[in-house]
Amino acid sequence: MRLLFDALKTGEVYEIGGRPSMQMPVTNELTKRAERRWVVISYAVRGWAAFWAEMAPQLPVARLNYLADRLESDKPLTPRLVEQAREEFDACVAHMATLPPNEIRRAMLHKNIKWELHREMAEGIADMEQEE
């Protein structure tokens, strides 16, 4: 994510299908190997903000959400907004260091389950619409 903010600061990011995108490190569940997967930047930023809004509601994430909104609506980003969103991100990372690892793992698992359910529901709805 830090590399993402560096890229946003320069104004140069990859686009896939007209959406600003980036590569995220992920662990392949079958091979347990680290891989890189392309994701839409706004989804990653919004996911991070949603995670921390639940995990530590006292942490501000409004600028992260605003950044995601601007990316989704294809509106320009100001260097100040990118800087403010990065400050919120850095505050979340700093807070993470104060939490027990099992608490973070549990919260991540909970959030991943919610994301998967949401994705499955969205895909199911899309499948139903295509059948009509």
Side-chain angles (χ1 to χ4, degrees):
M1 290 284 283
R2 287 186 176 102
L3 294 175
L4 161 69
F5 286 108
D6 291 344
L8 289 174
K9 198 172 179 180
T10 69
E12 296 292 325
V13 296
Y14 292 99
E15 277 191 17
I16 297 176
R19 294 176 167 169
S21 301
M22 66 179 192
Q23 287 188 323
M24 288 274 288
V26 296
T27 302
N28 183 308
E29 294 298 318
L30 297 173
T31 65
K32 302 298 181 199
R33 289 184 178 175
E35 298 177 353
R36 300 186 75 70
R37 186 172 298 153
W38 285 98
V39 297
V40 175
I41 294 172
S42 62
Y43 298 170
V45 171
R46 199 173 299 286
W48 180 266
F51 176 81
W52 284 103
E54 280 187 31
M55 185 74 177
Q58 74 276 15
L59 294 175
V61 293
R63 294 295 178 198
L64 286 166
N65 282 313
Y66 187 61
L67 178 73
D69 290 343
R70 301 288 292 183
L71 287 164
E72 286 174 357
S73 61
D74 199 26
K75 294 193 175 162
L77 305 178
T78 64
R80 180 69 183 136
L81 173 59
V82 174
E83 180 182 321
Q84 290 171 329
R86 185 178 192 142
E87 288 169 2
E88 287 183 353
F89 170 81
D90 288 340
C92 293
V93 171
H95 183 71
M96 186 184 297
T98 68
L99 300 172
N102 64 334
E103 187 176 331
I104 296 167
R105 271 192 303 277
R106 186 175 36 248
M108 289 174 67
L109 178 60
H110 180 255
K111 186 53 93 177
N112 283 339
I113 291 169
K114 286 175 73 174
W115 286 334
E116 285 300 315
L117 287 172
H118 176 74
R119 186 180 62 79
E120 288 292 324
M121 288 175 55
E123 286 179 5
I125 291 170
D127 289 344
M128 286 189 303
E129 289 174 354
Q130 287 178 357
E131 290 174 5
E132 292 177 358

